[in-house]
Amino acid sequence: MVTAVTAATAVTAAATPTSPAPTAPAVPTAASTANPGTAAAPRAAAPRAAATASATVTAALPGLPQALSVRARTLAGAVRRRCADLARIESPSGDAPRLDALAEELAAGFGATGATARREPGPAGDHLVLEWEGRDESLPHLLIVGHHDTVWPAGTLADWPVTEEDGRLTGPGVVDMKGGLAILEGALALLADLGERPHRAVRLVVVSDEEVGSPDGRRLVERHLRGAAAVLGLEPSHPDGRLKTARRGSSRVRLTVTGREAHAGNDAQDGVSAVDELVDQLVLVRGLAGQPGTELNAGRISGGSRANVVAGRAEAELGLRFSTAEAQRRTLDHLARLTALRPGARVRTEVLSSRPAWPERTGNPLLRHVRSLAAVLGQQLDGAPAGGAGDTNLPGSRGLPTLDGFGAVGAGAHARHEHIRLDQIAPRIALLAALLAVPLPRLRDRGEG
């Protein structure tokens, strides 16, 4: 049975002899050189920021920093087990029955922390929308985005089981992003255990198709962006623990080539090889990778039927990354104008999904606020741009206050060395709980933030 992280599990963990003692120094101190995200704010500004944040936290809830740190350490074991249990529910993109089963489990787990859950049907699996009431319902909501699909096909667990070893939890999907979902559940369970609610209403959108570009989930994220004060993402942090302050744009593009089949020995001259045409097109397309601000990965190629048949059809799926909106526009325009190189062949370009570039913003008051909260909790934290794309690209590209990387600290997403660091679960729980409980500062020039 999968056990959700609730106030009850926190009590059980506290009473279990093998649970971490509340006084154990699990949360890193500001002086620790081993703590992730050590590229902190200028030292002269840090004391002022920490003092301001400390006053804000104290005003929100007396004794909150210490309570959060102690409870987070107590909950860390339950969150670790929750992450492992979620990872054992395989949920590859496109596998609707498996994704729906995990959605049901997540709805139950978050529901135990006080959320109202709603399933949103999608063509490749249900999405989830979860909402928590805030202490001040007059304020704009805080939006959190996540996903429950993974890149790993069903059956991966057979030869790569979820394993805990040397201070790490490894397995398919643990860092991207079963760990982030479990940590948020833990943060909300922590607040419930303290008898508290988030300062403002919180909405969590969990999409089922993020790993393929959110072709359907995007509409749901976009709907809940309206009126949001800020947007947080549950993707894993940078490997050193830093948050993600910007992301490159991305597009998935399918090239489909149609040729003409013929007997490869007797009538080769009557055929038009779609495979040959596709290979030549890919050679040309790879030149795009040399353009400023563009990277290309030919991720999948298929075509033909038999060695003695001239191939009548072939296709490739390309993954493109862009540092700027202009690079994205220029490259997609180029691909849309591809024409066949040999008579009788046809080339078609189809954009399967696309995310706009999220440029880094100067100043970034949301990052300053989070960094200050971290300092009050005894953590050093900073942010940096990320190479990958995600659902936070959309709000970030529109200038909404946005930060990503609030999920697990680890490495190896989409690779067989995927893992999370167990010693960083408690700090992340405490940080998210503080961020939810404490009032946000003004994040934009106009309107309430």
Side-chain angles (χ1 to χ4, degrees), residues 93-110:
S93 305
D95 191 330
R98 293 177 187 274
L99 285 161
D100 289 351
L102 181 54
E104 187 69 23
E105 177 58 38
L106 290 169
F110 283 116

Side-chain angles (χ1 to χ4, degrees), residues 158-211:
D159 63 352
W160 183 24
V162 178
T163 306
E164 184 179 329
E165 187 176 4
D166 297 329
R168 295 178 172 185
L169 184 71
T170 182
V174 292
V175 79
D176 191 11
M177 63 169 20
K178 306 293 177 68
L181 294 167
I183 287 170
L184 178 62
E185 192 177 307
L188 288 155
L190 189 160
L191 292 180
D193 194 26
L194 292 173
E196 294 296 336
R197 287 187 294 171
H199 176 66
R200 65 178 68 222
V202 173
R203 294 184 201 171
L204 170 63
V205 174
V206 183
V207 303
S208 62
D209 56 358
E210 190 276 342
E211 294 293 5

Side-chain angles (χ1 to χ4, degrees), residues 13 17 32 38 64 69 71 171 266 286 293 313 376 386 391 393 397 404:
S32 172
T38 53
L64 180 63
S69 296
R71 297 298 179 106
N266 296 333
R286 284 202 60 79
R313 183 181 174 87
V376 172
D391 288 323
N393 279 61
S397 71
D404 208 338

Side-chain angles (χ1 to χ4, degrees), residues 377-389:
L377 296 167
Q379 305 175 35
Q380 275 188 309
L381 190 66
D382 210 341

